[in-house]
């Protein structure tokens, strides 16, 4: 008793050792290429503001405009629920939490745009706006008015605008360094990427900046915006986006789908350019497969239909936007782009309803898994990981709170992080 029983085997230890040695390089490659979730909060959206329009009060102004839109077009929970089809039992909690979010943190991720939304300006003008953006971002992080994530979208690496994009990025990053250093929430977006070599050029640029300023190698990451057909499939028939992730050498933080540039590159007429077009679904599926397990996150694009005008018109656009956000969430695109303050109520309403309506079921399944109590669904570790990730995303955006999750599951935030495979967490 207490001693391991002897069992019969046929293979010598050298066989196992030989297989281990033969697969050592594969083991290392898997660990490098597929590290899993980075463990950080992912914003539910990115708000897009032209470089000349960004101001110290932009974030608060967007929140106030969104609240004013609610007051005018959906002044209570029943009104908003009727417009969007939110179930009666969720109407009050969703409405109250949306309003609280707009008052507390209306924007989760803000991108100051120096590309299409800004256009071509005289060099002196863009220089001034880039320096001003750096000063305003630095000040926002100092005084606590910043969004959790902020940064710029530079011009792309195509020959006609390459030098201007590099200069703008240099001015912006240098301004942040001069103002006290790079904020933890810094995000940079590289648009219109068509070749992996353009990603390599971005890596070289950031390496040079880090060296020039004495920063730790790899400190600065960036998003890759997928806006061209070439970024999905190259002339050799291979998925270019997968090569781009590899070319980023661990610096790629996310892939962002560009609705209108990509649609146009496919020859889709303007009236049919949308997040739910079959061509968009194909591109986003390729992105999803390429990014899976790499730690590179996904963001859907935007709708350019703005909720302005009469109440009937606003309600029509709100239904469209709400439906598109819900559709993205169901397809595991947990982030998207918002182009107007009037999009914020439906962004948060869709996101909050998504997490609230599935809260009890997800909590029950995760509790049963942890306690090995069984139940009517036989979940495996991968599904438990997804259930924990679902609850964590709901917590991160404010759809649910830790008290609700603890009451339903008995689990702490640290427990959920462990189940989801998150080893690092930041606000």
């Amino acid at each position: 008793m207490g001693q391991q029983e002897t069992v019969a085997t046929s293979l010598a230890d050298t066989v196992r050792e030989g297989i281990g040695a033969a697969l050592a390089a594969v083991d290392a490659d898997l660990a490098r290429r597929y590290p899993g979730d980075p463990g950080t909060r992912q914003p539910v959206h990115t708000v897009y503001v032209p470089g000349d329009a960004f101001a110290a009060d932009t974030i608060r102004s967007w929140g106030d405009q969104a609240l004013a839109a609610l007051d005018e077009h959906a002044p209570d929970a029943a009104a908003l629920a009727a417009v969007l089809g939110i179930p009666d039992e969720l109407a009050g909690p969703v409405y109250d939490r949306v309003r609280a979010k707009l008052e507390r943190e209306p924007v989760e991720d803000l991108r100051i745009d120096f590309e299409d939304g800004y256009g071509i300006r005289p060099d002196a003008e863009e220089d001034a706006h880039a320096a001003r953006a750096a000063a305003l971002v630095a000040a926002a992080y100092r005084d606590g008015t910043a969004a959790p994530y902020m940064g710029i979208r530079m011009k792309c690496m195509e020959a006609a605008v390459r030098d201007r994009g590099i200069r703008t990025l240099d001015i912006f990053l240098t301004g942040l360094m001069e103002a006290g250093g790079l904020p933890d929430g810094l995000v940079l977006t590289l648009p219109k990427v068509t070749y992996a070599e353009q990603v390599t050029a971005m890596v070289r640029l950031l390496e040079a900046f880090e060296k020039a300023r004495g920063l730790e190698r790899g400190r600065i990451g960036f998003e890759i915006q997928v806006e061209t057909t070439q970024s999905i499939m190259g002339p050799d028939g291979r998925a270019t986006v997968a090569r781009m992730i590899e070319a980023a050498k661990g610096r790629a933080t996310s892939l962002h789908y560009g609705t209108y540039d990509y649609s146009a590159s496919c020859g889709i007429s303007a009236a049919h350019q949308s997040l739910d077009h079959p061509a968009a679904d194909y591109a986003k599926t390729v992105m999803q497969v390429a990014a899976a397990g790499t730690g590179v996150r996904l963001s859907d694009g935007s709708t350019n239909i703005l909720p302005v005008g009469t109440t009937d018109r606003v309600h029509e656009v709100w239904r469209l936007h709400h439906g598109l956000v819900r559709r993205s969430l169901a397809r595991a695109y947990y982030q998207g782009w918002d182009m107007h303050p009037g999009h914020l109520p439906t962004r948060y309403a869709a996101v909050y309803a998504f997490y609230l309506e599935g809260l009890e079921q997800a909590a029950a399944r995760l509790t049963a898994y942890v306690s090995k109590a069984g139940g009517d669904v036989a979940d495996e570790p991968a599904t438990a990981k997804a259930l924990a990730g679902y609850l964590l995303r709901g917590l991160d955006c404010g759809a649910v709170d830790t008290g609700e999750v603890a009451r339903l599951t008995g689990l702490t935030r640290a427990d959920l992080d462990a189940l989801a495979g998150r080893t690092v967490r930041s606000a």
Side-chain angles (χ1 to χ4, degrees):
M1 295 294 291
Q3 296 182 350
Q4 183 175 353
E5 293 184 18
T6 301
V7 294
T9 61
S10 301
L11 299 175
D13 287 346
T14 54
V15 175
R16 172 181 50 79
E17 293 165 358
I19 290 174
L23 291 177
V26 170
D27 294 339
D29 201 48
L30 281 170
R32 179 181 67 84
R33 292 177 185 269
Y34 302 103
D37 189 276
T40 55
R41 171 184 178 180
Q42 181 180 12
V44 301
H45 70 166
T46 300
V47 160
Y48 166 106
V49 179
D52 59 328
F54 177 61
D57 66 346
T58 292
I59 293 173
R60 186 62 264 153
S61 175
W62 273 59
D64 290 343
Q65 290 179 69
L67 286 165
L70 273 180
D71 289 340
E72 181 175 357
H73 304 296
D76 55 42
L80 186 65
V83 173
L84 303 180
I86 297 172
D88 290 345
E89 65 273 15
L90 293 181
V94 167
Y95 191 82
D96 292 345
R97 293 177 199 209
V98 168
R99 290 197 69 96
K101 179 73 168 181
L102 295 175
E103 292 166 356
R104 181 186 73 255
E105 187 184 74
V107 174
E108 293 197 354
D109 182 28
L110 186 140
R111 203 69 69 252
I112 306 163
D113 189 38
F114 288 93
E115 203 232 354
D116 283 350
Y118 181 79
I120 304 299
R121 310 288 183 95
D123 282 340
E125 185 176 350
E126 184 160 341
D127 284 355
H129 285 148
R132 176 173 167 271
L136 289 172
V137 169
Y141 276 104
R142 281 197 307 270
D143 65 23
T145 61
Y149 299 95
M150 296 181 74
I152 66 168
R153 179 169 74 166
M154 60 190 283
K155 289 178 171 63
C156 69
M157 285 290 180
E158 293 176 355
V161 294
R162 182 185 305 137
D163 289 349
R164 180 63 259 182
I166 292 172
R167 181 173 174 82
T168 295
L169 180 63
D170 188 7
I171 291 170
F172 179 71
L173 292 177
T174 299
L176 290 175
M177 290 298 297
E178 295 295 318
L182 304 182
D184 290 339
L186 174 68
V187 188
L188 306 174
T189 304
L190 179 66
K192 292 184 176 61
V193 185
T194 53
Y195 282 78
E197 289 80 2
Q198 293 167 330
V199 174
T200 299
M202 184 68 166
V203 171
R204 289 182 59 191
L205 178 61
L206 297 177
E207 287 175 343
F209 186 88
E210 288 164 351
K211 183 177 180 180
R213 299 300 305 212
L215 295 170
E216 178 185 0
R217 185 182 178 91
R219 164 66 180 85
I220 310 172
F222 61 98
E223 303 167 337
I224 298 170
Q225 198 155 19
V226 177
E227 301 179 90
T228 66
T229 55
Q230 296 94 332
S231 60
I232 294 299
M233 183 178 293
D236 57 0
R238 296 169 62 192
T240 313
V241 69
R243 296 180 57 223
M244 291 174 180
I245 293 173
E246 178 70 10
K249 295 184 178 180
R251 292 179 186 263
T253 57
S254 57
L255 304 174
H256 285 236
Y257 177 69
T259 311
Y260 299 98
D261 282 287
Y262 187 86
S263 298
S265 74
C266 289
I268 299 166
S269 63
H272 298 284
Q273 294 175 359
S274 175
L275 295 175
D276 58 358
H277 192 282
D281 285 342
Y282 173 76
K284 288 182 285 189
T285 299
V286 173
M287 291 165 59
Q288 192 168 41
V289 174
T294 65
V296 177
R297 277 149 169 185
L298 301 168
S299 175
D300 212 337
S302 62
T303 177
N304 61 3
I305 311 301
L306 305 183
V308 296
T310 66
T311 293
D312 286 344
R313 176 57 177 168
V314 169
H315 286 178
E316 179 185 354
V317 178
W318 273 358
R319 281 189 288 270
L320 170 67
H321 184 240
H322 181 266
L324 290 171
V325 175
R326 288 282 314 200
R327 186 177 190 274
S328 296
L329 290 167
R331 286 159 175 75
Y333 269 75
Y334 300 113
Q335 183 176 353
W337 283 58
D338 289 326
M339 307 292 288
H340 187 274
H343 286 141
L344 299 187
T346 38
R347 168 69 62 181
Y348 290 122
V351 169
Y352 284 14
F354 177 77
Y355 291 115
L356 282 170
E357 68 191 20
L359 174 60
E360 291 192 3
Q361 183 185 53
R365 289 175 65 180
L366 192 58
T367 302
Y369 173 84
V370 170
S371 64
K372 305 188 186 310
D376 59 356
V377 180
D379 286 321
E380 297 183 352
T383 304
K385 183 176 182 178
L387 289 166
Y390 173 87
L391 296 176
L392 286 167
R393 284 189 294 271
L395 287 168
D396 285 342
C397 69
V400 300
D401 61 45
T402 54
E404 288 174 310
V405 173
R407 176 176 56 82
L408 291 169
T409 66
L411 300 173
T412 66
R413 173 80 198 218
D415 294 331
L416 293 175
D417 283 336
L419 286 164
R422 292 189 179 187
T423 56
V424 180
R425 180 178 162 252
S426 65

